[in-house]
Amino acid sequence: MPPFVLSFWHQVVISLPLFVLIILGYSLIRFAKWPTAFTDGVSRFVFSVALPAMLFRMMSDFSKRPPVDARLLIAFFGSCLVVFVIGRIVARKVFDLDGVSGSVFALSGIFSNNVMLGLPLATTILGEDAVPSVALVLVFNGLILWTLVTVSVEWARNGALSLQGFGKTAVGVLKNPLIIGILSGTLFSLTGFSLPDFVDQPVGMLSQAAVPLSLISLGMGLAEYRVRDGWQISAVVCVLKLLVQPLVIWGLAVMLGLPEMETRVVVLLGSMAVGVNLYLMSRQFNVLGGPIAASLLLSTALAALTTPLILALMGVSL
């Protein structure tokens, strides 16, 4: 069997159990008819307790780990700017969308589901050594991308920028439980101490529950969406998000000479499905609700194949 096929199959086998958990969560809501209130409860626990605990524990020895090449931020967010511009052009030239709709469309091509999907996949496929690189992206992800779309939308509406919008975004990011977990764990690591057993053990148990529960919660959330009108927009969003962005990141990482681990992390994160927050944003601006909801569902299903494909290509070339 050719090396590329073997590598692709290996990546599929590794990631398949994670997508099985997503299917389980989806089935509990869609077919077993579990109440959607259960989804809200699980999602809140995962986002506010389990994942922050996991990130705190993993970052608590950050100072003892090999340093992360911060140029990965250039590769990741540089690709976001490139693909965002491409998205705005496609939105205008192909779909004739206005400035607000075009901004949401363009952001859907770069806003990855890095919390519920990217972090579990990175830790499973690349190991715990990938966590500091993932954490660095997560810290800046919300601030930079929400600021980008805020600037784009306000410019489209008013022809001017607002410091108030930026301020609200910054405060929201700093109050995010995931960011609190990352930053507090990093600060603790600088003390040079180890977590005492009575803290480490319960935090460790929460950490073990974080990955499966986050994937089940993601599946439950996806059960609320349908593939309806606007499938052409959804299809283009999936192409931008699952193929164009990771390839642009990969190209930038090669140009920058990033180390192998950082390169694999940012490409994997860039290859993730569309983030759930995009649907909330589409509702907030009252644009593209149907197509964005469909994009969440389609991109998550397709990522089960496209992410292993991208990683297999990297495994052959790196």
Side-chain angles (χ1 to χ4, degrees):
M1 189 177 292
F4 171 76
V5 176
L6 283 174
S7 179
F8 172 68
W9 180 247
H10 176 67
Q11 301 294 345
V12 170
V13 170
I14 292 176
S15 60
L16 185 59
L18 305 184
F19 285 93
V20 169
L21 290 175
I22 295 174
I23 294 171
L24 171 62
Y26 184 90
S27 300
L28 289 174
I29 299 298
R30 178 59 61 85
F31 305 117
K33 304 300 182 183
W34 282 29
T36 54
F38 191 81
T39 304
D40 297 334
V42 173
S43 298
R44 186 174 182 180
F45 174 77
V46 168
F47 185 76
S48 301
V49 180
L51 281 175
M54 184 180 79
L55 288 166
F56 172 81
R57 187 169 186 258
M58 288 180 169
M59 297 303 293
S60 64
D61 62 351
F62 176 77
S63 61
K64 303 174 185 177
R65 295 175 181 262
V68 175
D69 193 325
R71 292 179 301 164
L72 67 84
L73 296 176
I74 299 175
F76 188 85
F77 294 108
S79 80
C80 290
L81 181 59
V82 171
V83 178
F84 186 84
V85 171
I86 294 173
R88 286 301 307 267
I89 294 172
V90 171
R92 181 63 178 169
K93 300 295 185 182
V94 177
F95 297 112
D96 196 27
L97 298 178
D98 61 30
V100 177
S101 298
S103 297
V104 173
F105 172 87
L107 192 68
S108 66
I110 61 176
F111 205 113
S112 301
N113 195 345
N114 285 333
V115 175
M116 294 294 194
L117 189 56
L119 181 58
L121 273 174
T123 54
T124 300
I125 296 176
L126 302 178
E128 288 196 7
D129 288 343
V131 171
S133 297
V134 175
L136 191 59
V137 172
L138 289 179
V139 167
F140 289 94
N141 191 67
L143 178 62
I144 291 176
L145 296 189
W146 280 91
T147 299
L148 177 63
V149 77
T150 299
V151 168
S152 181
V153 168
E154 290 198 6
W155 186 267
R157 285 178 168 174
N158 308 314
L161 308 182
S162 169
L163 289 177
Q164 182 180 7
F166 176 79
K168 287 183 178 179
T169 301
V171 171
V173 169
L174 293 175
K175 292 170 63 177
N176 186 306
L178 301 174
I179 305 305
I180 293 173
I182 292 170
L183 295 180
S184 61
T186 302
L187 290 174
F188 180 83
S189 76
L190 297 177
T191 67
F193 295 112
S194 297
L195 289 173
D197 288 342
F198 73 90
V199 174
D200 185 57
Q201 289 183 7
V203 173
M205 287 186 279
L206 283 172
S207 301
Q208 292 176 352
V211 169
L213 282 179
S214 65
L215 295 170
I216 291 171
S217 174
L218 172 59
M220 289 177 167
L222 291 174
E224 301 177 10
Y225 308 125
R226 302 288 192 278
V227 180
R228 293 175 177 167
D229 297 334
W231 65 267
Q232 299 94 333
I233 291 178
S234 301
V236 174
V237 165
C238 289
V239 171
L240 289 173
K241 186 70 213 63
L242 302 179
L243 296 177
V244 176
Q245 189 186 19
L247 291 176
V248 172
I249 293 176
W250 189 7
L252 291 175
V254 171
M255 290 173 59
L256 291 168
L258 277 186
E260 182 174 328
M261 175 56 76
E262 283 85 344
T263 298
R264 290 179 180 273
V265 167
V266 291
V267 172
L268 183 145
L269 294 179
S271 73
M272 290 297 97
V274 177
V276 176
N277 283 343
L278 253 297
Y279 180 69
L280 301 179
M281 182 179 293
S282 70
R283 294 287 297 270
Q284 177 183 342
F285 295 129
N286 196 29
V287 294
L288 300 181
I292 296 300
S295 299
L296 296 178
L297 195 58
L298 288 174
S299 62
T300 303
L302 292 173
L305 293 177
T306 56
T307 294
L309 177 62
I310 295 292
L311 293 177
L313 287 170
M314 294 180 67
V316 171
S317 299
L318 288 177

